[in-house]
């Protein structure tokens, strides 16, 4: 039996940590967005290279924005945004969701493509599509360049993961520079 773990050469996500730890302990993983990496670490399977990976900006308390971090201010900022549940988990307060979630930047990486959504005021979004291989990009999802990309798949993947938290059909705003 192969007991030496190998390095996984393809990108993985932090959402894979919990199912991986539970996999090492031989516990069933509850429903999650991540996958256990244990089979890939012990060469039983090849890691799926075509799995979309998601990233998003987080809440940055004011205590982090200065040159010196104030623990007292950090706790005070966190207390206004999060609540501690009886199961010892943190949850975003419902009253804060409407303030924080609309401003989060989100992106999906898939093969050589990245689609990033940058929320603006008035429910508008700048969507930036990047080909990581050629370094070409555009903010016009109807351009000739974008039509060569799996834009519908990327938008659907974002919508499936984030649901109502992300609007994948907003009025898109274009910045001055176009496809390079």
């Amino acid at each position: 039996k192969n007991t030496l773990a190998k390095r996984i050469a393809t990108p993985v996500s932090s959402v894979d940590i919990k199912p991986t730890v539970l996999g090492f302990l031989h516990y069933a993983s509850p429903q999650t967005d991540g996958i256990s990496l244990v089979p890939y670490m012990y060469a039983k399977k090849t890691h799926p290279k075509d799995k979309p990976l998601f990233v998003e900006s987080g809440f940055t308390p004011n205590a982090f924005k200065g040159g010196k971090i104030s623990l007292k201010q950090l706790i005070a900022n966190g207390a206004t945004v999060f609540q501690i549940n009886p199961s010892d988990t943190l949850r975003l307060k419902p009253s804060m969701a409407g303030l924080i979630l609309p401003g989060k930047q989100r992106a999906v990486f898939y093969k050589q493509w990245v689609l990033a959504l940058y929320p603006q005021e008035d429910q508008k979004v700048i969507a930036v599509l990047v080909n990581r291989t050629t370094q070409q990009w555009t903010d016009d999802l109807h351009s000739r360049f974008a039509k060569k990309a799996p834009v519908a798949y990327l938008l659907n993947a974002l919508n499936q993961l984030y649901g109502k938290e992300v609007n994948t059909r907003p009025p898109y705003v274009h910045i001055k520079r176009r496809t390079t």
Side-chain angles (χ1 to χ4, degrees):
K1 185 174 182 177
N2 187 0
T3 58
L4 295 175
K6 69 174 187 171
R7 180 180 179 159
I8 298 172
T10 57
V12 298
S13 176
S14 60
V15 297
D16 298 332
I17 294 171
K18 181 178 180 179
T20 301
V21 170
L22 291 173
F24 273 122
L25 300 172
H26 303 289
Y27 284 106
S29 179
Q31 180 65 29
T32 179
D33 294 322
I35 60 170
S36 173
L37 300 173
V38 172
Y40 309 108
M41 295 169 71
Y42 292 100
K44 293 178 186 170
K45 291 183 177 180
T46 303
H47 186 265
K49 295 176 181 160
D50 295 343
K51 180 183 174 230
L53 293 174
F54 302 91
V55 295
E56 65 181 78
S57 62
F59 165 68
T60 305
N62 291 333
F64 281 134
K65 293 181 182 173
K68 184 177 177 187
I69 297 174
S70 163
L71 184 57
K72 185 177 179 180
Q73 187 180 6
L74 178 63
I75 292 169
N77 290 154
T80 61
V81 175
F82 298 103
Q83 65 188 24
I84 299 175
N85 294 329
S87 61
D88 293 331
T89 58
L90 284 177
R91 185 173 190 105
L92 186 64
K93 288 182 178 179
S95 61
M96 297 304 293
L99 298 172
I100 293 176
L101 294 179
K104 280 191 156 203
Q105 300 168 359
R106 294 184 170 93
V108 58
F109 287 70
Y110 176 70
K111 296 183 179 179
Q112 77 267 27
W113 299 100
V114 179
L115 179 64
L117 302 179
Y118 297 94
Q120 306 297 302
E121 294 179 18
D122 301 329
Q123 301 291 314
K124 294 179 182 175
V125 171
I126 295 174
V128 177
L129 177 69
V130 179
N131 182 316
R132 296 185 311 151
T133 304
T134 65
Q135 301 298 306
Q136 288 180 289
W137 68 274
T138 187
D139 67 337
D140 181 358
L141 297 185
H142 300 290
S143 68
R144 227 184 268 151
F145 170 73
K147 288 180 182 182
K148 296 176 188 175
V151 172
Y153 174 82
L154 298 169
L155 288 170
N156 186 49
L158 285 164
N159 197 41
Q160 282 190 343
L161 180 63
Y162 294 112
K164 292 179 182 178
E165 288 183 20
V166 64
N167 184 355
T168 57
R169 292 183 177 82
Y172 290 110
V173 179
H174 300 291
I175 48 183
K176 290 181 183 178
R177 188 173 172 197
R178 298 283 180 207
T179 305
T180 59

